[in-house]
Amino acid sequence: MSSQVNRAIVLCENWQDKMIMLEEVFGRDIEKDITRQKYDFLSSGVGRIAKGASPDEKLVLDMVKKTVNKLEKQLYPNPVIRVLRRLKAVMFDRPLQAAKFKKLRNENLATLSSAVGAMGLNPDLLQLDRKLDFERAKTSIELISPWGSSNYQVKVNFEKDLSGKYQMSSYTGMLKDPLNPGQNRSYTFDVGLGINAREAANLLQGRAVLQYYSIGGDRMASKWMQLDFENLTADGIPLLKETPADHDFNLRQEVSRIAEVLNKPELASVRALNGMEQGNQIALKQANGKTTYLEANPLNKQVLILNEKQQPITLEQLKKQKEAALKVKPQQVKTRVKKIQRNKKQQQDQSLHI
């Protein structure tokens, strides 16, 4: 639980939210008719929070307990009945509630840890056991630098269901530009999209990700997903566009064409294609020592070729650069050709990086 969250205050706010909901339906004079519901809600919350309450929470709980006592007198005017009910609460009700809550909490934390891990995040870094207070209906946990990179942050969003368990509803990826804060990018990805945190980082950089989904039975289909930063909503949010795979853009065909022109068959390898489908750039070392990058761009129906400065270049320009490098360093080229003939696979692994 975060030290900034006062669970006792959240308990009171939760009841107020319920009151507002009921008043919208039944009118503003409803409170006197739901005394028992208020008593059950607040007394259950007090029993849940009292153990391990912070000093600030205890201050609020003292006020809540006074309200609970007043409600109890209204419901049970007979003092003997009240004493018996309190004994029952101490001896039976509260221990049972505590045991049920502990079980629910432990099961929920285990489920959430698996869900967070499936998104490519480390649940230990989120400190779910400390930061989920199990009082708020909605809450978020920020994770700065999930992989040691300070320019990428993730905020995981949780919502409580009817059973009282938290479910991970979405997460917000934030890509920051320290030199130009105005170019910061963020987008909230629904968990149902199946996009993990690394793929989200690639999407925020403008690259595309291929997603597979079921279309019934054992059949699967795929689609490209890409954030369009040229077309924003009224709130300044980029559009997440979807394109059926192979619809006017076939990654394998496009990459194979580039590989043939450059005489680089390793570009069309399964490893390289899988990397591009995940939104990664493919780094290709040239004979002149420079590095060129390839990435899928289904929105524009092409494989984008970028130079070392991440500036777009054409395939023809890249081909001319290669030819020029071969003319300048014929001896180096001859040596490398011999190495390829001796061990083609090893040379491919050295020239291709994902």
Side-chain angles (χ1 to χ4, degrees):
M1 182 191 68
S2 172
S3 59
Q4 297 180 349
V5 177
N6 188 314
R7 294 174 297 168
I9 292 178
V10 175
L11 174 67
C12 298
E13 291 174 343
N14 287 343
W15 176 252
Q16 290 300 320
D17 290 341
K18 290 183 178 295
M19 281 297 302
I20 292 173
M21 175 192 67
L22 291 171
E23 286 176 351
E24 289 178 351
V25 178
F26 300 104
R28 300 186 63 84
D29 297 328
I30 192 176
E31 186 167 4
K32 62 179 180 296
D33 298 323
I34 56 172
T35 302
R36 174 169 292 283
Q37 288 84 346
K38 184 176 182 180
Y39 170 79
D40 290 341
F41 184 89
L42 293 180
S43 59
S44 176
V46 169
R48 188 169 57 248
I49 298 171
K51 185 177 180 180
S54 68
D56 287 343
E57 288 175 336
K58 289 179 180 178
L59 288 175
V60 180
L61 283 178
D62 286 341
M63 300 301 296
V64 177
K65 288 177 182 177
K66 291 180 180 179
T67 300
V68 171
N69 290 337
K70 290 180 181 178
L71 294 170
E72 186 183 39
K73 288 181 180 180
Q74 294 177 27
L75 292 169
Y76 308 103
N78 190 319
V80 176
I81 298 296
R82 290 202 301 272
V83 171
L84 293 175
R85 285 187 57 83
R86 289 175 184 176
L87 286 173
K88 177 176 176 290
V90 172
M91 300 296 294
F92 180 75
D93 293 343
R94 290 180 185 173
L96 181 61
Q97 290 175 358
K100 287 183 177 179
F101 175 69
K102 183 178 180 180
K103 180 182 179 182
L104 179 145
R105 183 178 183 275
N106 291 339
E107 290 177 349
N108 196 191
L109 289 175
T111 301
L112 290 176
S113 293
S114 298
V116 168
M119 289 293 105
L121 298 172
N122 187 342
D124 294 335
L125 295 178
L126 285 176
Q127 298 179 324
L128 298 174
D129 57 333
R130 292 184 58 250
K131 295 185 178 180
L132 289 180
D133 53 68
F134 284 87
E135 292 298 329
R136 290 174 289 180
K138 296 181 180 181
T139 187
S140 299
I141 302 177
E142 292 190 7
L143 179 60
I144 300 175
S145 308
W147 307 301
S149 175
S150 60
N151 65 334
Y152 184 56
Q153 300 180 10
V154 173
K155 182 174 70 174
V156 187
N157 307 308
F158 301 92
E159 292 186 14
K160 192 185 291 186
D161 61 20
L162 294 177
S163 70
K165 293 182 178 180
Y166 280 115
Q167 304 295 335
M168 185 169 64
S169 58
S170 62
Y171 67 94
T172 303
M174 293 163 280
L175 192 64
K176 296 187 176 182
D177 186 344
L179 301 179
N180 190 358
Q183 296 299 315
N184 291 349
R185 292 176 171 181
S186 67
Y187 191 85
T188 298
F189 299 92
D190 188 273
V191 171
L193 292 174
I195 296 173
N196 64 43
R198 286 194 179 275
E199 291 172 337
N202 288 336
L203 286 168
L204 287 169
Q205 294 178 73
R207 299 199 286 272
V209 170
L210 187 67
Q211 285 289 304
Y212 292 88
Y213 59 96
S214 174
I215 56 175
D218 296 330
R219 296 182 301 167
M220 299 292 292
S222 58
K223 60 185 176 182
W224 286 101
M225 307 185 77
Q226 191 170 5
L227 287 171
D228 186 355
F229 292 96
E230 299 297 326
N231 297 289
L232 307 179
T233 66
D235 298 325
I237 300 173
L239 297 175
L240 182 61
K241 293 190 173 181
E242 300 181 0
T243 305
D246 299 335
H247 179 71
D248 295 333
F249 175 74
N250 186 301
L251 178 63
R252 180 178 294 277
Q253 290 180 3
E254 291 295 321
V255 173
S256 296
R257 181 175 65 86
I258 296 173
E260 183 178 357
V261 171
L262 299 178
N263 193 25
K264 286 283 187 179
E266 62 268 28
L267 283 177
S269 67
V270 173
R271 177 170 173 261
L273 292 173
N274 287 345
M276 296 181 75
E277 288 178 354
Q278 294 167 7
N280 296 319
Q281 285 186 332
I282 304 302
L284 177 64
K285 289 185 178 180
Q286 300 183 53
N288 58 10
K290 295 183 178 181
T291 303
T292 302
Y293 301 92
L294 277 66
E295 65 179 58
N297 190 346
L299 276 183
N300 295 322
K301 302 178 179 60
Q302 64 175 333
V303 170
L304 197 60
I305 304 174
L306 304 167
N307 61 19
E308 287 187 320
K309 297 181 180 180
Q310 294 291 303
Q311 297 170 333
I313 60 174
T314 65
L315 179 58
E316 186 63 27
Q317 288 174 316
L318 183 58
K319 181 181 178 182
K320 289 181 179 179
Q321 290 177 8
K322 178 183 178 181
E323 292 173 348
L326 293 177
K327 291 179 181 178
V328 173
K329 300 180 180 180
Q331 187 60 41
Q332 292 183 12
V333 173
K334 184 183 294 184
T335 301
R336 192 169 66 173
V337 170
K338 290 181 179 179
K339 289 182 179 179
I340 292 176
Q341 292 173 344
R342 288 197 304 267
N343 194 336
K344 184 177 180 180
K345 184 178 185 302
Q346 179 181 358
Q347 181 62 24
Q348 289 175 350
D349 290 341
Q350 291 175 350
S351 65
L352 181 62
H353 301 274
I354 298 176

